[in-house]
Amino acid sequence: MAASPPQGLTVVRALAPLTVTGDRALLGHLVRNLLANAVRHNRAGGRLALATSADGVLTVSNTGPVIEPGDVPRLLEPFRRSAERRHTRGEGAGLGLSIVASIARAHGAKLIAEANPGPEGGLTIRVRFPV
C-alpha cells in the first residue's frame, strides 16, 4: 500500500451481509489488493467506495486518473500499470489487479472492471460471487 493515503480521502461504505464459500486467505488477499489499489491510485480529496450486497457482489470504486475504457482490460494483466514506473517508495509492480482476477476465477466469480468517467476518473471493480 502507498506510504499514506491521499490527503482528504473520503471512504464511503454500504455493507450488506455477504457470505462467500472459498479460501479465507485468498479472499482476504482479494479484498486487500482491491482496497490498496483504490487508495494508491486515488488523489487528494478523492473518494473510495466499498459496497457488498447479499446477492454476492463486492464493489470497490475510487476516484483518480481518468482511464480510457479500452485500457481497462490490460490493467488486469500481470505487470501492467496505468502509468510508467517512477521507482518510488510504496509503488506497486502491477500485480494487484491480476491477482484479484485470478482469485476471483478460482472462486467461480465474475470480475467486471470499468473506468469511471471524468472528471472524477478512477476505476470501479465488481466481483460477482456465485450464491
Side-chain angles (χ1 to χ4, degrees):
M1 188 176 288
S4 61
Q7 199 168 35
L9 182 65
T10 299
V11 177
V12 179
R13 297 176 299 177
L15 304 176
L18 171 60
T19 303
V20 175
T21 302
D23 184 284
R24 181 183 302 259
L26 289 177
L27 291 168
H29 284 300
L30 180 143
V31 172
R32 279 189 300 280
N33 282 354
L34 283 175
L35 293 175
N37 190 71
V39 170
R40 179 181 288 127
H41 300 288
N42 218 308
R43 58 179 167 73
R47 177 189 45 75
L48 183 157
L50 170 65
T52 56
S53 68
D55 64 346
V57 180
L58 165 67
T59 304
V60 176
S61 183
N62 73 322
T63 53
V66 174
I67 301 168
E68 291 298 321
D71 290 341
V72 173
R74 75 177 186 84
L75 295 177
L76 302 175
E77 298 173 9
F79 304 108
R80 296 297 186 124
R81 302 165 38 86
S82 61
E84 291 297 317
R85 286 198 62 155
R86 295 180 307 253
H87 301 287
T88 59
R89 183 172 182 239
E91 180 181 37
L95 290 172
L97 291 180
S98 67
I99 291 171
V100 166
S102 293
I103 294 170
R105 272 192 309 275
H107 286 83
K110 180 177 181 178
L111 186 142
I112 301 161
E114 297 174 308
N116 299 330
E120 294 290 309
L123 196 62
T124 296
I125 305 282
R126 286 182 186 81
V127 183
R128 182 174 301 278
F129 292 95
V131 266

